[in-house]
Amino acid sequence: MTSMPVEGENPQTVAPPAGSAKRALVGRLSWGLADQAASSISNFAVGIYVARSLGVTAFGVFSLAWVTYGVVLNVSRGLATDPLTVRFSGVSDASWRGAVARSTGTALGVGAAIGVVCLVGGLGLGGRVGPAFACLGVLLPGLLLQDAWRFSFFAAGIGRKAFVNDLVWCVALVPAMVVAARVGSVAAFVLAWGASATVAAGYGYLQSGIRPRVTEARGWLREQRDLGYRYLVENTCLSGASQLRAYGLGAIVGLGAVGAVRGAELLMGPFLAVLMGLSLVTVPEAARVLRQAPHRLGRFCLLLGGGQAGAALLWGAALLLMPDRLGELVLGDVWHSASQLIAPITLGVAGAGLGTGAAAGLRALGAARRSLRSQLFASACYVSGGLGGAAVAGTVGSAWGVATATVSGSAVWWLQLRSALREHRHDSIREVRTS
């Protein structure tokens, strides 16, 4: 069994020729973008269908289910796939396959356990919200397993398989969406989205030939506890803050406000596809940079974060110039309220993109304590800014509060990365002197 590096350690390998390394990097990043484009098309299609078909209030209900899924997804990633990408990127095939079996089994177990809670809670709630949560609970195992396959393929550097898997999801989504549109309820759309993801999850098993081992989930959690539990807290702080903001915004302003925020986020969808597509490969690539050329990690993270922030600002500027008629064609009645939030949400996404570069560096360094510290600060700012802004100035105030919080959080991420890089260089010099 391959020994695993402890926090702050990475095995050193001989760097390949610069030209071939760059070509390989571009190839892996391209597959990440292509995969996220396929994934985002399915998510975007569901969002547009609900926004146009059911109106802003029903879209708010759907958005509550969506952000809840985001929390559960980040629980799964923190425990299952984040440790996988940090410790099993670029390892031998045997090590990767064994780790993937345990990691995907962990994701499946998380989905089943939390799915039961969502199902029971949804049945108890009833009303407009309950059925959507009940349907989400039934389909959580398939949703989480499909996501775990994607990260597993990128850890092995075979992003094309993740891309094909998401294409299968898109194809399966088409007939499911047709049926959901005829039913005309939020629960039907949740079912269509989750059932098609479950089809793709089954195809992931055929692609990999690896059977998820739920019975070994406990062993995986024990082996990865030094990273997994910190990443769990870090990830759930991020998604939990988003969920608290959504619930709080609904309570303070109303469900229509939640729908308006989600509508503005949908307008950022094409750019967010790029941001999320890069996020699939940033940690594995940062880990490779650290192993092959540690002195380049800081520059790699800066180019990554700065490029994403600049692209977000350009996309937001284009949205501000979009005619109302085109916006109404895309979002229907949601457009009027969502268009008022474009500027603050653009600033928030730019801040998040900048922070992503630093976060990738901290993950690659295995500096889980520092990344957790950064995420706790950013999440606290996000909730306080979002809810404080809502109390003062409604939906628009909430959006500006979140934008300010995200930019502040990004600054903390970079301060922590700078300290972590300094520690890594110091430790490397000390190792050389004592060897």
Side-chain angles (χ1 to χ4, degrees):
M1 182 175 178
T2 304
S3 60
M4 294 180 295
V6 297
E7 183 171 323
E9 277 189 298
N10 282 287
Q12 300 298 314
T13 58
V14 178
S20 62
K22 287 182 179 179
R23 284 193 297 272
L25 171 61
V26 171
R28 290 189 293 266
L29 290 176
S30 298
W31 281 117
L33 292 174
D35 169 74
Q36 189 57 47
S39 176
S40 296
I41 286 171
S42 62
N43 294 340
F44 185 75
V46 174
I48 293 300
Y49 252 76
V50 176
R52 288 183 57 82
S53 303
L54 303 180
V56 67
T57 301
F59 191 51
V61 175
F62 179 82
S63 298
L64 290 180
W66 186 279
V67 296
T68 302
Y69 159 71
V71 175
V72 181
L73 181 65
N74 279 299
V75 170
S76 175
R77 287 178 177 177
L79 294 176
T81 52
D82 283 344
L84 177 77
T85 57
V86 170
R87 285 177 164 161
F88 294 93
S89 294
V91 300
S92 68
D93 183 67
S95 296
W96 174 79
R97 292 182 70 85
V100 168
R102 290 173 287 152
S103 175
T104 53
T106 302
L108 201 55
V110 169
I114 302 182
V116 171
V117 176
C118 285
L119 175 61
V120 173
L123 293 175
L125 278 173
R128 306 184 70 173
V129 178
F133 275 80
C135 293
L136 177 65
V138 171
L139 296 165
L140 271 176
L143 284 161
L144 299 189
L145 180 59
Q146 193 274 338
D147 185 75
W149 287 129
R150 296 171 67 208
F151 278 79
S152 299
F153 292 141
F154 279 109
I158 47 177
R160 65 185 182 279
K161 288 192 174 183
F163 171 69
V164 172
N165 191 277
D166 271 322
L167 279 184
V168 170
W169 186 358
C170 288
V171 172
L173 184 63
V174 173
M177 289 286 286
V178 171
V179 175
R182 290 178 178 175
V183 176
S185 68
V186 176
F189 283 106
V190 174
L191 280 173
W193 164 61
S196 54
T198 302
V199 172
Y203 183 66
Y205 167 71
L206 298 178
Q207 287 179 292
S208 64
I210 300 173
R211 181 172 59 85
R213 299 175 185 170
V214 180
T215 56
E216 296 189 19
R218 183 176 297 179
W220 173 262
L221 294 174
R222 184 170 58 251
E223 292 171 11
Q224 311 300 328
R225 62 182 178 274
D226 59 324
L227 294 183
Y229 291 120
R230 289 190 183 121
Y231 290 155
L232 168 65
V233 176
E234 181 182 327
N235 290 356
T236 52
C237 281
L238 173 63
S239 54
S242 177
Q243 188 177 30
L244 285 174
R245 185 257 185 132
Y247 289 167
L249 186 60
I252 295 170
V253 185
L255 286 173
V258 181
V261 170
R262 178 60 186 156
E265 291 172 348
L266 278 176
L267 293 173
M268 296 294 294
F271 172 76
L272 289 175
V274 175
L275 179 64
M276 295 176 67
L278 289 174
S279 71
L280 289 169
V281 293
T282 49
V283 175
E285 291 307 322
R288 288 184 177 94
V289 171
L290 182 62
R291 288 175 180 133
Q292 297 169 3
H295 60 285
R296 295 179 181 171
L297 180 61
R299 184 173 62 181
F300 172 82
C301 294
L302 183 60
L303 289 173
L304 180 67
Q308 291 177 94
L313 293 175
L314 289 175
W315 182 261
L319 289 177
L320 289 171
L321 298 175
M322 187 166 69
D324 286 341
R325 185 167 54 186
L326 181 57
E328 291 171 357
L329 179 64
V330 175
L331 290 179
D333 294 339
V334 179
W335 163 253
H336 178 70
S337 52
S339 61
Q340 302 175 39
L341 310 179
I342 291 174
I345 284 184
T346 296
L347 182 60
V349 172
L354 184 62
T356 297
L362 287 173
R363 288 278 175 101
L365 288 164
R369 291 188 183 91
R370 290 190 176 279
S371 60
L372 175 59
R373 196 177 304 154
S374 302
Q375 192 58 69
L376 287 172
F377 176 83
S379 298
C381 289
Y382 184 95
V383 174
S384 58
L387 297 185
V392 173
T395 310
V396 175
S398 178
W400 278 110
V402 166
T404 304
T406 305
V407 173
S408 302
S410 178
V412 173
W413 278 105
W414 279 100
L415 290 173
Q416 290 293 330
L417 177 61
R418 185 177 66 173
S419 299
L421 287 171
R422 189 178 301 141
E423 289 176 358
H424 181 75
R425 284 193 295 266
H426 176 73
D427 292 342
S428 299
I429 293 172
R430 185 173 58 188
E431 289 174 6
V432 170
R433 288 176 175 173
T434 56
S435 60

